[in-house]
Amino acid sequence: MNWLILGLVLFLGVHSVAIVSPEGRNRLAAQLGDNAWKGLYSLVSAVGLGLIIWGYGLARENPVLLYSLPGGFRHLAALLLLPVFVLLLAAYLPGRIQRAAKHPMLLAVKLWALAHLLAQSVTGGSLADVLLFGGFLLWAAADRVSLKRRAQAGLLQVVLQGGGVD
């Protein structure tokens, strides 16, 4: 479980730099240079993702069950996953979906995470499931709130022009 937690801290932590301190993110990117910032960001993300995958696999060997939902929730989970890929594509393609959703990738992450929490209904939701999918759900919600605040403060354009990497 420790590897999963460390991976989540690294992956979600580096993706949360702009949430915690947009000005700090911009200063760090300026100090390191755009390419070095993106390289460091990518390296930390990749290590975190690797640890998440490895740690989740290890945690599934001895699951700590926390909840069990009725089997019908699996169907709801499948339904929630239908728009996820459309939303992911809409994040990179201009159009009505992108304008309506405002931040389609964050919406896709929220739906993906919620669906996976619900899909555990038959086997039972484990602590690893709650940490992994709940962590991503909370991160996406926090990032959405942060994006609204950064836009109101006029910081969003600076972040987006500074390389586009949170």
Side-chain angles (χ1 to χ4, degrees):
M1 194 74 65
N2 291 337
W3 295 114
L4 173 62
I5 294 169
L6 179 60
L8 286 167
V9 167
L10 289 174
F11 187 85
L12 295 177
V14 76
H15 281 81
S16 299
V17 171
I19 295 172
V20 176
S21 176
E23 299 92 355
R25 180 255 175 237
N26 292 338
R27 278 194 307 273
L28 185 59
Q31 280 179 335
L32 294 174
D34 201 37
N35 289 334
W37 165 249
K38 287 179 182 180
L40 178 63
Y41 186 98
S42 299
L43 179 65
V44 173
S45 293
V47 169
L49 183 60
L51 288 173
I52 288 170
I53 293 167
W54 187 42
Y56 186 72
L58 290 174
R60 289 183 61 182
E61 292 176 6
N62 297 308
V64 177
L65 297 180
L66 296 179
Y67 65 91
S68 181
L69 299 171
F73 277 85
R74 284 195 111 139
H75 302 292
L76 176 59
L79 187 63
L80 287 173
L81 285 173
L82 287 175
V84 167
F85 288 106
V86 173
L87 288 166
L88 284 174
L89 286 174
Y92 294 101
L93 302 172
R96 288 189 296 213
I97 295 173
Q98 188 182 61
R99 284 190 303 273
K102 293 188 180 155
H103 300 285
M105 184 174 291
L106 290 176
L107 181 55
V109 170
K110 287 187 251 185
L111 289 173
W112 168 82
L114 179 61
H116 279 81
L117 287 170
L118 296 175
Q120 306 303 325
S121 60
V122 174
T123 59
S126 71
L127 178 59
D129 297 326
V130 171
L131 288 173
L132 176 59
F133 302 115
F136 272 90
L137 183 60
L138 289 174
W139 169 81
D143 199 21
R144 181 65 179 101
V145 170
S146 173
L147 283 168
K148 284 182 185 177
R149 290 190 177 153
R150 284 185 272 166
Q152 290 170 348
L155 295 171
L156 188 58
Q157 294 301 323
V158 174
V159 171
L160 293 176
Q161 291 170 359
V165 179
D166 285 343

